[in-house]
Amino acid sequence: DIPLPGVRRRAKNESTLVEALAGVLKDKTMSVTEVAEAVQEAGYITTSPSFRTIVNQTLINSGKFKRVGRGQYTLK
């Protein structure tokens, strides 16, 4: 496979983003930025320039997380 210029390949991860977020947020409350950084430190691979936004949307829409304050989330 020859990579085409300007074309990004989707990263292959062991778990879904929701699973990775759940693992990081277990028994913790964190901000969106902290969660995004922690997930990547835990090994989640992304090529997205707007990964923090994707994390924020996932926290809001998945139903597995609870908002406990402005920009603060925890696992339900």
Side-chain angles (χ1 to χ4, degrees), residues 15-31:
S15 61
T16 66
L17 181 55
V18 172
E19 291 167 345
L21 292 171
V24 167
L25 280 172
K26 190 172 183 169
D27 302 324
K28 291 185 195 141
T29 297
M30 300 171 89
S31 74

Side-chain angles (χ1 to χ4, degrees), residues 10-24 39 43-45 51 54-55 58 62 64-65:
R10 184 159 178 204
K12 299 272 189 254
N13 287 292
E14 297 293 315
S15 61
T16 66
L17 181 55
V18 172
E19 291 167 345
L21 292 171
V24 167
V39 164
Y44 191 86
I45 302 164
F51 184 61
I54 294 168
V55 168
T58 304
S62 80
K64 285 187 102 174
F65 308 100

Side-chain angles (χ1 to χ4, degrees), residues 8 40 45-54:
R8 286 200 310 250
Q40 286 183 285
I45 302 164
T46 181
T47 57
S48 173
S50 55
F51 184 61
R52 186 194 170 283
T53 303
I54 294 168

